[in-house]
Amino acid sequence: MKKKYLYEVDFMRNFFISGVLLNHITGIVKGLFDSGTIMYTVLGSLHASLHFTRMGFMFMTGLVLFLAYRNKDLQVFSFWRKRYVSVGIPYIFWNMVYSLFALPTETLQKVIGDFWGHLIHGDQAYLYYVLVTMQLYLIFPFLLLFLKRFRKHSKLIFAISYLLQLAMTFFIKYKIRDFDMSNWPYLLSHWGIFVGTYQLYFIAGGIASLNYDRFTAFVERHKRKINWLALLSIPVICAYYLWNYQVLGLSESNAKSVHQPLFVIYATIIVLFALNLGRRWAAYREKYPEKLFSRYISLAAQLSFGIYLTQYIGMTLMRTFLIPVLRDHKVFALPAIPFLFIFVFGLSFIISYLLYKSPLSSLIGRKHQKKLTGGRR
């Protein structure tokens, strides 16, 4: 039987990659203002409300990966070879490209010396996500086997994973500062790039894919509640940021950190909301498959990883040419964000599309092909 294409997955890919770019742009614009000013606080609240994107992106990584292999007899070494080649080539290439961005201010010898550090730490140009993904690939065959073996206990596994994530984020927020991490392994002391830190989202993506009909039926039954919760959760998370920053006295980065218990709940709500929107769009697409917007969503979904990899080019140009203009006209900073987003997203889209249609498509983790594929069940 022919596999059904899950168009809602395409929509969710677009939803979260757009959120990622908007999140990064908002953070850059916020830097135009001094700490403690009204605009800094407003943009900080907006920035915090966009921090569901990292968890959403991790969930989508798990969902798409499990959807691709849930009905296949996975060969471990073949899987590793295929996946590490597809993600390793762009990871090494874009690390090299972005390392060269430092040449105007650094010597070539230092750039070459720093390259290896960036490669093993994933600490430049938002490439930490790729490093996390490579860790996921390492454990994925065993995680898939585990979730399939205990599929009847999916609810229990999800509940345990959820409680573990809440406990982990509580520990990171309130307790981890009390520990001397100087002798800890790198990935544990830099938990933001450790796959275990995001275990809930990968496991949730796997469970959702293995129980997709039940999962989507749940979302359909509770779609009105999900929509209301999503709407109400935004001011709640903004207020939570203000509480962290102004009352608890946390640093600005810690105040909006995704590694907090409430952000786990917030991300859960937004993921369900994104799926709900995706299903509405999928229904629309069935009626109007040839509409320009329908074709755009399908194409942009295929380019989402490329957009993530190339966003730093647009961000660099934005910082160099557009942010200085806003620094002299700060009154336009907030309304400029949508236009900055269009600039960065549009440029990343064009670069990714040109690579996708060329023999260099491996640089964005894609095979050179004209026909769009993916998202099938």
Side-chain angles (χ1 to χ4, degrees):
M1 187 174 78
K2 187 178 180 180
K3 295 179 180 179
K4 182 181 178 181
Y5 197 99
L6 301 177
Y7 291 103
E8 60 266 34
V9 172
D10 282 354
F11 179 91
M12 293 175 72
R13 280 175 160 174
N14 279 275
F15 182 88
F16 287 116
I17 188 58
S18 297
V20 165
L21 268 62
L22 189 59
N23 177 32
H24 294 160
I25 290 168
T26 302
I28 293 171
V29 173
K30 182 185 62 179
L32 291 170
F33 299 90
D34 294 329
S35 175
T37 61
I38 294 177
M39 278 304 299
Y40 186 90
T41 303
V42 169
L43 287 168
S45 299
L46 176 61
H47 195 203
S49 71
L50 291 167
H51 267 57
F52 63 84
T53 53
R54 184 187 303 189
M55 293 86 89
F57 219 60
M58 300 297 181
F59 171 81
M60 288 304 301
T61 301
L63 179 67
V64 172
L65 191 59
F66 277 92
L67 282 171
Y69 288 94
R70 65 176 185 171
N71 294 322
K72 292 182 180 179
D73 183 17
L74 186 145
Q75 301 296 321
V76 176
F77 291 104
S78 176
F79 168 82
W80 283 338
R81 182 176 62 254
K82 176 183 177 182
R83 288 288 168 169
Y84 280 117
V85 169
S86 68
V87 80
I89 290 173
Y91 183 67
I92 294 171
F93 175 80
W94 292 109
N95 258 300
M96 180 176 63
V97 169
Y98 296 138
S99 292
L100 293 174
F101 277 25
L103 274 180
T105 57
E106 302 288 351
T107 64
L108 180 60
Q109 183 178 3
K110 187 176 188 306
V111 168
I112 294 173
D114 290 343
F115 171 68
W116 174 250
H118 293 317
L119 207 60
I120 62 175
H121 296 148
D123 58 355
Q124 72 166 343
Y126 316 112
L127 293 174
Y128 73 92
Y129 162 74
V130 187
L131 188 59
V132 174
T133 301
M134 287 193 282
Q135 296 170 59
L136 174 63
Y137 289 161
L138 184 64
I139 63 174
F140 174 75
F142 313 105
L143 187 58
L144 175 64
L145 181 64
F146 171 77
L147 292 181
K148 290 175 74 172
R149 173 66 178 81
F150 297 101
R151 186 172 180 175
K152 292 182 179 179
H153 304 287
S154 292
K155 289 182 179 179
L156 177 61
I157 294 171
F158 176 75
I160 293 172
S161 176
Y162 207 96
L163 291 174
L164 178 60
Q165 192 72 29
L166 290 173
M168 188 189 312
T169 51
F170 180 89
F171 175 77
I172 290 174
K173 180 174 182 179
Y174 294 106
K175 298 296 182 180
I176 205 165
R177 298 182 192 86
D178 300 332
F179 291 82
D180 178 12
M181 296 180 289
S182 58
N183 295 320
W184 287 26
Y186 184 83
L187 290 178
L188 294 182
S189 61
H190 296 74
W191 55 85
I193 59 172
F194 177 48
V195 67
T197 307
Y198 307 101
Q199 57 85 25
L200 168 64
Y201 311 106
F202 297 131
I203 289 175
I207 291 174
S209 70
L210 295 174
N211 303 274
Y212 197 77
D213 290 335
R214 292 168 60 191
F215 177 51
T216 53
F218 170 84
V219 172
E220 190 66 28
R221 286 196 308 271
H222 300 284
K223 59 184 178 182
R224 292 184 182 276
K225 294 178 182 178
I226 291 169
N227 290 342
W228 277 109
L229 280 173
L231 182 64
L232 294 173
S233 65
I234 296 174
V236 168
I237 213 70
C238 290
Y240 186 60
Y241 162 80
L242 295 175
W243 170 266
N244 282 333
Y245 186 50
Q246 298 185 342
V247 179
L248 297 184
L250 299 181
S251 68
E252 201 278 333
S253 60
N254 286 330
K256 61 178 176 55
S257 169
V258 300
H259 307 299
Q260 302 182 69
L262 190 60
F263 274 84
V264 176
I265 300 171
Y266 178 55
T268 304
I269 294 170
I270 300 300
V271 165
L272 295 174
F273 175 68
L275 177 59
N276 190 20
L277 289 181
R279 286 176 60 77
R280 304 284 79 76
W281 177 79
Y284 168 85
R285 193 201 176 283
E286 285 188 5
K287 296 181 180 178
Y288 308 103
E290 297 304 319
K291 290 284 188 179
L292 180 62
F293 184 66
S294 296
R295 298 203 302 271
Y296 160 76
I297 291 291
S298 295
L299 175 59
Q302 302 303 314
L303 300 179
S304 59
F305 184 48
I307 291 170
Y308 188 94
L309 292 169
T310 59
Q311 63 174 306
Y312 193 69
I313 297 173
M315 297 286 182
T316 301
L317 293 174
M318 181 186 75
R319 282 194 180 99
T320 304
F321 299 107
L322 302 180
I323 293 299
V325 175
L326 289 178
R327 187 172 285 113
D328 296 329
H329 303 86
K330 292 182 181 179
V331 67
F332 297 110
L334 185 60
I337 289 177
F339 299 98
L340 295 175
F341 169 79
I342 292 171
F343 170 76
V344 175
F345 187 92
L347 181 60
S348 302
F349 183 96
I350 291 171
I351 295 171
S352 299
Y353 180 77
L354 293 176
L355 289 172
Y356 180 68
K357 288 295 185 180
S358 79
L360 299 175
S361 57
S362 61
L363 297 181
I364 57 169
R366 288 289 178 184
K367 292 182 179 180
H368 178 46
Q369 54 187 1
K370 294 181 179 181
K371 185 178 180 180
L372 300 179
T373 61
R376 296 190 182 278
R377 55 182 299 189

